[in-house]
Structure formats: C-alpha cells, structure tokens
C-alpha cells in the first residue's frame, strides 16, 4: 500500500491517547448520516481506530459494526470500548486494507480521513466500493488541505501537511471512480464553511498566535455562514449508493 506515513507514527500517536465517546456531543457529519442512512444491517469502517464514528453509527442505527486498521490497538482496545457502549460488534481486523479479503459485503462501508494518506487513493476508493452490498451505502470523507487551506497549513502546519496526499483531496477524481463503478451519488460536496486545525504546528509564539486567530475567525465565519466551498471548508464528503 502506497502510504505516505509510517505505521510507527500512528502507533506512537495512539499509545498514550485517551479516547472517550460522549453520547451527548456532536458527531461530525451526523446530519448527513440521518439524511441518507437506513437503520439495521452491517457497517464496516476502513481505518477504524479509535472508533467513535462506529460507536455513533452502531448506537443510532443499530448496525453490527466491524472494521480494519493497521494498528494493533484495533484488537486490544476497541472491542471492549464498543461493548461498554452497547454496540453490537461484528469483527475487527488488523492489517493492510488493500491486502484484506473481506468475509462478505456490508450495508454501509465508510472511512473518515483515510484515503488522503495514500498515493494510490483511487485504488483505495475502488476497494471500498467492492465491499458495499447491493443497495448499500458508501461514505468517504477526508480533510481539505487545498486552495486557501493549503496556504495556512503550509505556513502553520507544514509537518502535518506532508503526511497528506493533496491529489487525493479532489472531488472530481472521486466522482470519476464512483461513476465508473456505477455508484449512485447522493451527496458529493465540501462540508462546512470554514475551519482550521494544526496537528504539528510550527514552533514559536508567533505561530501559535497565528493558529489561534485563524481558528477563531474560521469558527465565527462557520457559525454565521453556511457555504461549503473549496477554499476554506475543512472537510469533503461523498455519500453514494450501490444499485440493487
């Protein structure tokens, strides 16, 4: 798999990460889930650790949830978390997604911030599609680090920027893969108006102040304006359905 980030980085990041799920907190994309997903059936997340999306989907839609991730924590930490929240668990897998042989097809296949770490992202999307059952739903999302977002990340978050494949953040190329496979596109757009975060910010007080003000201004704009756009929207998401 043509990943641009070594797995050691992710494992070291997760090692001391305290993960919690707040059932009262807002979950990203939840209004789109409510609009396009049907209750019941099976759900599989690609790059599923730490699992908060799956917990939400399992609790709100009654799915039996499964997933795959390369980190060993997907086997040692996730099942117990899911049982604590009353989610029906299918099976979790540790390994390389493109080498993975799924045991069957799933009613919902999803990934949130996965494909943009791979240079062969079109192949990764195609593998997602092949796991969707007829009549099932595919959800693919990732951050948007292009256009004006690129300038801010280049100046304030350069190390994190290099962990992402900018060519993968292209809705037109996603659409080409989906249409080639005959998927019915239900929703295909940027998400929210503005937003910014920095995982590995530049050093120095000036950088920290700049990050703070960019985040605050983005939050104010996002609260007052609903205009998904390529320039400052923080995410992009596609929801499609496989014909029966």
């Amino acid at each position: 798999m043509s990943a641009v980030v070594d797995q050691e980085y992710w494992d070291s990041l997760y090692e001391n990460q305290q993960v919690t799920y707040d059932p009262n907190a807002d979950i990203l994309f939840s209004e789109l889930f409510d609009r396009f997903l049907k209750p019941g059936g099976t759900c599989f997340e690609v790059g599923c650790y730490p699992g908060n999306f799956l917990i939400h989907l399992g609790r709100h839609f009654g799915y039996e949830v499964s997933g795959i991730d390369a980190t060993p924590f997907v086997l040692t930490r996730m099942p117990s978390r899911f049982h604590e929240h009353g989610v029906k668990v299918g099976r979790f897998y540790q390994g390389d997604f493109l080498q993975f042989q799924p045991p069957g097809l799933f009613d919902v296949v999803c990934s949130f911030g996965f494909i943009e770490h791979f240079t062969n992202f079109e192949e990764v999307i195609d593998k997602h599609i092949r796991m969707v059952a007829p009549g099932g739903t595919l959800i693919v999302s990732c951050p948007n680090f292009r256009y004006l977002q690129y300038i801010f990340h280049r100046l304030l978050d350069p190390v994190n920027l290099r962990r992402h494949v900018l060519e993968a953040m292209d809705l037109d190329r996603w659409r080409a893969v989906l249409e080639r496979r005959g998927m019915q596109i239900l929703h295909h757009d940027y998400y929210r108006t503005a937003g910014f975060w920095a995982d590995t910010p530049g050093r120095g007080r000036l950088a920290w102040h700049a990050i703070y003000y960019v985040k605050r201004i983005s939050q104010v704009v996002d609260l007052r304006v609903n205009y998904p756009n390529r320039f400052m929207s923080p995410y992009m998401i596609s929801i499609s359905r496989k014909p029966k």
Side-chain angles (χ1 to χ4, degrees):
M1 189 181 291
S2 304
V4 296
V5 184
D6 291 336
Q7 185 58 38
E8 289 77 7
Y9 165 77
W10 298 116
D11 291 342
S12 64
L13 180 68
Y14 299 147
E15 179 68 38
N16 298 312
Q17 187 181 55
Q18 298 298 315
V19 180
T20 59
Y21 175 79
D22 182 355
N24 298 313
D26 291 334
I27 191 83
L28 201 62
F29 312 123
S30 61
E31 74 277 15
L32 296 179
F33 299 156
D34 292 341
R35 181 179 173 187
F36 293 109
L37 294 181
K38 303 173 184 178
T42 56
C43 179
F44 189 99
E45 183 182 357
V46 181
C48 61
Y49 190 83
N52 284 352
F53 278 108
L54 275 186
I55 293 175
H56 174 83
L57 293 170
R59 286 169 56 95
H60 285 262
F61 295 94
Y63 296 141
E64 177 187 273
V65 301
S66 302
I68 185 171
D69 206 298
T71 179
F73 300 132
V74 72
L75 301 180
T76 60
R77 297 181 180 180
M78 281 184 62
S80 60
R81 288 190 68 223
F82 280 56
H83 288 302
E84 288 172 5
H85 291 284
V87 177
K88 186 178 180 181
V89 176
R91 186 174 176 184
F92 293 112
Y93 303 86
Q94 179 192 359
D96 182 333
F97 173 60
L98 284 180
Q99 301 300 318
F100 173 61
Q101 299 296 322
L105 303 178
F106 299 87
D107 298 301
V108 177
V109 176
C110 55
S111 68
F112 306 96
F114 181 81
I115 68 167
E116 76 278 8
H117 297 294
F118 301 92
T119 57
N120 57 337
F121 63 92
E122 291 170 322
E123 182 183 358
V124 175
I125 295 174
D126 191 73
K127 178 69 177 284
H128 282 60
I129 295 171
R130 286 185 276 123
M131 293 177 58
V132 181
T137 304
L138 171 67
I139 304 172
V140 177
S141 77
C142 79
N144 173 31
F145 285 177
R146 300 176 72 194
Y147 304 101
L148 189 55
Q149 285 276 3
Y150 172 80
I151 296 174
F152 287 126
H153 282 281
R154 181 69 180 84
L155 295 174
L156 303 175
D157 193 27
V159 176
N160 184 44
L161 183 64
R162 292 193 292 271
R163 298 187 186 116
H164 295 78
V165 178
L166 298 186
E167 291 81 2
M169 302 173 183
D170 188 332
L171 287 171
D172 289 337
R173 293 183 69 173
W174 294 14
R175 181 184 293 273
V177 178
L178 294 167
E179 291 181 344
R180 187 166 62 244
R181 281 289 184 174
M183 298 293 286
Q184 177 191 0
I185 296 176
L186 307 176
H187 180 88
H188 196 79
D189 203 354
Y190 294 93
Y191 184 79
R192 294 187 175 172
T193 304
F196 180 77
W197 69 93
D199 282 349
T200 313
R203 295 183 179 181
R205 181 174 296 181
L206 181 61
W208 281 105
H209 281 296
I211 291 168
Y212 173 79
Y213 285 112
V214 172
K215 289 174 65 175
R216 289 293 297 144
I217 293 171
S218 297
Q219 289 170 351
V220 171
V221 171
D222 196 58
L223 287 172
R224 298 185 178 184
V225 181
N226 180 24
Y227 183 66
N229 64 93
R230 71 179 66 183
F231 300 103
M232 272 302 291
S233 289
Y235 306 101
M236 48 211 305
I237 182 169
S238 180
I239 303 176
S240 57
R241 185 158 296 147
K242 180 176 284 188
K244 292 185 180 179

